[in-house]
Amino acid sequence: MNKEAASDEYEKAFCRLKGIKIVYEDEHVLFMNKPAGILSQKASPLDLSLNEWMIGYLLAEKILDVKALSTFKPSICNRLDRNTMGLVIGAKTLAGSQKINHLIKSRSIKKFYRMLVKGEVRKEETLEGYYPVQVFSDKTLVEAELITGKTHQIRIHMASTGHPLLGDYKYGDRQWNDKYKRQFHVNSQLLYASRLEFPKLEGKEKAMATWSSRGLRGSTLEDLINRTNERYMENNLALIQKIPTPITPINIDKATRHITLAYFEQKSTVDYIGVVQGIPVCFDAKECAVDRFALQNIHHHQVTFMERFEGQGGVAFFLIYFSHKDEFYYLPFEMLKFFWDRAENGGRKSFLYEELNPEYVLPKKHGIFVPYLDMLSKDLDERA
């Protein structure tokens, strides 16, 4: 296949394959959330798979060009069945590919799956590594750690215990599956690759440890902003509230009273809302580990809400923490809207750090962790 034909194939995959989300990305890797119905890799020459989608994405974002593919072609590192959903690791560089494949080969990365299976599963019924999470009327949510990686290992094991996966027509209960297919359009096994755990890495590899601790870093950012808001409130400078996302708990640990499983009742809009010296403000906080911020980390309903908020006389903005630079950046809504409209009109689906106005980098101030009021003042001055 020549370069032009290959480029067309990647572009076609990027445009046609829907529902793929990037949940993490840095210089060497990206983690994707694959929906059911999409191949991880080609099964025949004419197929379009997640692998082609990933390369199409990298080309569209100008992270690499077609010429670079002659020396190294980015590829996914762990495959999921066509109808299995969940996390897939993609290597963007040779170094990333070598490291991830080494970790996978040595079984240093732990892979966890969640699934809905028939009947009530009791702990004593399952093998080590299989845990019932929540029992429903005629099914159980089960979590399992993939040990051997043999084809259909989890599906075969659960079927052998009398608890086949919902939607699994190969090993499961056809009559039960048909019932859910008619009522809820369940057309394939409800199996989700939900979690990847990485080992602790040292030295030059230490940066890779953040791949398995993104939630922790997010909580740290939230904590810094919350403590900043407390300081602003104590000094009567602002009153800002963290907006909780409404959830419905499904499972609660009786010992700790912690929610272990829940679903979101509605889409979240912004993280914070409040008032600064009589001025309504709202903002959202994001993290970025590279010099390119992917706009898919921001949702259409968030942009719509912020636009309407500004239409009512409020001020909306984003706080972005560029972790590799240890810098906080204040992104005015007007600037975000420019990048958003550019993407909507067929342009780059991200923006580069170098495109940002350096005057909106937050200063480092003693006693204030994220001093965004300084940049808010600058934003208001420029609006006047």
Side-chain angles (χ1 to χ4, degrees):
M1 183 181 295
N2 60 43
K3 291 181 180 179
E4 185 176 347
S7 179
D8 289 344
E9 179 185 46
Y10 303 139
E11 182 181 359
K12 185 185 298 183
F14 183 59
C15 293
R16 288 188 181 180
L17 300 182
K18 304 296 184 182
I20 301 168
K21 300 293 183 183
I22 296 175
V23 297
Y24 176 81
E25 182 178 4
D26 64 22
E27 180 183 354
H28 298 289
V29 300
L30 56 84
F31 292 2
M32 295 160 285
N33 189 13
K34 184 187 84 68
I38 294 178
L39 289 166
S40 296
Q41 291 181 322
K42 284 175 175 283
S44 66
L46 297 179
D47 287 333
L48 294 178
S49 72
L50 183 65
N51 207 93
E52 286 74 54
W53 183 93
M54 180 181 73
I55 296 175
Y57 162 77
L58 296 174
L59 290 171
E61 292 297 315
K62 296 180 172 53
I63 298 170
L64 81 167
D65 56 36
V66 177
K67 291 181 180 179
L69 297 175
S70 62
T71 56
F72 174 77
K73 184 178 293 185
S75 64
I76 64 167
C77 302
N78 63 310
R79 287 187 291 178
L80 298 179
D81 292 342
R82 180 197 289 265
N83 290 321
T84 297
M85 305 167 281
L87 296 173
V88 178
I89 307 171
K92 296 167 60 177
T93 65
L94 179 59
S97 176
Q98 290 173 334
K99 186 58 191 176
I100 291 295
N101 284 318
H102 169 72
L103 291 173
I104 291 175
K105 188 175 181 180
S106 62
R107 297 185 180 176
S108 299
I109 299 176
K110 294 184 177 181
K111 305 172 185 176
F112 295 87
Y113 289 72
R114 287 202 170 193
M115 68 215 77
L116 282 171
V117 303
K118 184 179 180 182
E120 179 180 350
V121 178
R122 296 187 297 273
K123 180 64 179 73
E124 58 270 19
E125 290 183 280
T126 62
L127 294 175
E128 182 180 358
Y130 288 74
Y131 307 98
V133 175
Q134 176 71 31
V135 177
F136 301 96
S137 58
D138 62 344
K139 55 190 174 295
T140 303
L141 178 67
V142 173
E143 181 173 82
E145 180 181 356
L146 187 67
I147 304 298
T148 67
K150 292 181 179 178
T151 303
H152 302 168
Q153 170 195 330
I154 292 175
R155 295 162 62 189
I156 292 172
H157 168 67
M158 293 310 301
S160 72
T161 64
H163 301 289
L165 271 67
L166 177 57
D168 189 347
Y169 278 89
K170 185 176 181 67
Y171 304 106
D173 184 323
R174 175 169 290 276
Q175 185 176 357
W176 189 57
N177 290 336
D178 285 344
K179 169 188 170 184
Y180 276 87
K181 185 175 183 178
R182 288 193 301 269
Q183 293 183 355
F184 302 104
H185 307 289
V186 176
N187 296 310
S188 58
Q189 71 267 11
L190 295 188
L191 179 63
Y192 186 80
S194 58
R195 192 166 87 249
L196 296 167
E197 290 187 1
F198 285 76
K200 183 177 181 181
L201 302 172
E202 303 295 341
K204 292 181 179 179
E205 300 173 341
K206 191 173 182 180
M208 290 189 180
T210 61
W211 298 350
S212 60
S213 60
R214 189 167 186 249
L216 175 61
R217 293 189 295 113
S219 297
T220 302
L221 173 59
E222 179 180 314
D223 183 57
L224 291 175
I225 295 174
N226 289 343
R227 291 169 71 179
T228 297
N229 289 337
E230 289 172 5
R231 182 63 60 87
Y232 284 155
M233 181 178 67
E234 291 167 0
N235 293 326
N236 294 317
L237 295 173
L239 181 62
I240 306 296
Q241 182 180 21
K242 175 75 171 70
I243 300 179
T245 301
I247 64 170
T248 294
I250 295 177
N251 189 48
I252 301 176
D253 187 296
K254 293 182 179 179
T256 64
R257 304 303 299 167
H258 290 167
I259 297 173
T260 57
L261 182 66
Y263 67 86
F264 293 113
E265 292 179 357
Q266 62 187 57
K267 296 178 180 179
S268 61
T269 50
V270 292
D271 290 334
Y272 297 91
I273 196 165
V275 62
V276 177
Q277 302 295 299
I279 301 170
V281 301
C282 72
F283 63 93
D284 207 73
K286 302 291 183 182
E287 289 188 60
C288 186
V290 293
D291 282 346
R292 184 183 54 79
F293 185 90
L295 288 170
Q296 68 173 22
N297 291 313
I298 298 172
H299 303 290
H300 187 272
H301 66 272
Q302 291 179 302
V303 176
T304 300
F305 176 84
M306 287 184 159
E307 192 166 30
R308 290 174 177 171
F309 190 87
E310 292 232 333
Q312 293 293 325
V315 178
F317 58 92
F318 280 86
L319 289 178
I320 302 176
Y321 177 54
F322 289 98
S323 57
H324 63 303
K325 295 178 178 292
D326 192 25
E327 282 185 1
F328 288 95
Y329 189 84
Y330 178 104
L331 183 69
F333 179 74
E334 182 180 22
M335 196 181 301
L336 179 278
K337 193 64 167 57
F338 169 78
F339 295 133
W340 186 267
D341 290 342
R342 181 177 69 180
E344 291 284 289
N345 292 321
R348 180 191 289 273
K349 302 296 189 286
S350 63
F351 59 81
L352 302 176
Y353 179 85
E354 64 188 36
E355 293 184 88
L356 300 176
N357 183 348
E359 294 181 2
Y360 278 101
V361 175
L362 269 62
K364 296 184 184 299
K365 300 182 69 171
H366 179 71
I368 302 293
F369 298 99
V370 190
Y372 61 86
L373 288 191
D374 296 59
M375 295 300 104
L376 174 61
S377 178
K378 175 179 174 58
D379 187 4
L380 290 171
D381 287 343
E382 295 190 351
R383 292 171 185 239

